[in-house]
């Protein structure tokens, strides 16, 4: 004979018991718990371009530092690979005439393209501040170093050091 019609579905049964909890996963890598590498370098010398040629900015003092040093007076060196922010602030002036100063960076003794900025000193004996940042890559700490370079054709333009003053006290 013929197959009969399908009957109505029965009610849903009770939910079964929850299975056992799985084993915990591996512990993740620790997060950064300290500030990254940093340094602060200073100079208490007024600096001028040497021999009418591009000249490296030099440093003869340092504040606190971690993982970054200066060698040969001007080479900023790093203890590990990574990306760094080289920020600077220079007080510049020309004591005799209006002039211009170019500032850029070198990596391993080679000028880095597209890093030069020209600062125009348009008033005699006026002080100007050159302050900006260079974001740089260090791929091989054994050979990579950076220098801040500068040039002016003026023999009287300078990166000026001003000692602390008194009456009133100014650092």
């Amino acid at each position: 004979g013929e197959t009969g019609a399908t009957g109505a579905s029965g009610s849903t049964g009770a939910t079964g018991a929850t299975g056992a909890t799985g084993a915990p996963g591996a512990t993740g890598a620790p997060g950064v718990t300290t500030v990254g590498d940093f340094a602060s370098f200073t100079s208490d010398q007024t600096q001028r371009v040497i021999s009418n040629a591009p000249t490296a900015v030099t440093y003869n003092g340092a504040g606190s530092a971690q993982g970054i040093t200066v060698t040969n007076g001007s080479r900023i060196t790093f203890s590990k690979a990574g990306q760094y922010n080289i920020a600077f602030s220079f007080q510049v002036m020309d004591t005799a005439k209006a002039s211009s100063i170019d500032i850029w960076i070198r990596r391993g003794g080679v000028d880095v393209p597209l890093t030069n900025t020209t600062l125009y000193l348009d008033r005699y004996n006026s002080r100007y501040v050159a302050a900006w940042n260079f974001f740089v890559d260090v791929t091989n700490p054994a050979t990579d170093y950076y220098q801040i370079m500068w040039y002016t054709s003026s023999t009287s333009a300078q990166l000026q050091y001003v000692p602390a003053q008194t009456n009133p006290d100014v650092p």
Side-chain angles (χ1 to χ4, degrees):
E2 290 185 30
T3 301
T6 301
S9 294
S11 60
T12 301
T15 301
T18 301
T21 301
T27 301
V32 175
T33 59
T34 62
V35 173
D37 290 349
F38 62 90
S40 174
F41 305 111
T42 60
S43 174
D44 64 359
Q45 304 292 317
T46 294
Q47 299 182 41
R48 291 183 173 78
V49 164
I50 299 170
S51 301
N52 196 33
T55 301
V57 174
T58 59
Y59 313 94
N60 64 1
S64 58
Q66 175 178 295
I68 303 173
T69 58
V70 167
T71 61
N72 296 348
S74 68
R75 295 178 178 184
I76 303 167
T77 61
F78 306 86
S79 64
K80 56 182 156 279
Q83 295 180 318
Y84 294 86
N85 176 12
I86 297 176
F88 70 89
S89 175
F90 301 142
Q91 184 166 257
V92 298
M93 73 177 297
D94 195 320
T95 59
K97 64 179 186 171
S99 60
S100 63
I101 291 177
D102 290 284
I103 300 172
W104 67 96
I105 57 172
R106 280 187 179 166
R107 179 183 185 182
V110 178
D111 294 336
V112 177
L114 305 173
T115 63
N116 183 60
T117 297
T118 303
L119 183 65
Y120 294 97
L121 312 179
D122 59 353
R123 298 180 66 184
Y124 311 136
N125 292 317
S126 291
R127 296 177 187 174
Y128 298 84
V129 174
W132 51 88
N133 302 47
F134 296 112
F135 292 93
V136 300
D137 291 318
V138 174
T139 54
N140 184 347
T143 58
D144 288 349
Y145 65 88
Y146 285 88
Q147 293 171 290
I148 300 177
M149 303 299 297
W150 74 294
Y151 175 76
T152 181
S153 60
S154 171
T155 58
S156 53
Q158 57 193 280
L159 303 182
Q160 187 180 39
Y161 166 72
V162 178
Q165 302 168 25
T166 57
N167 198 21
D169 292 340
V170 178

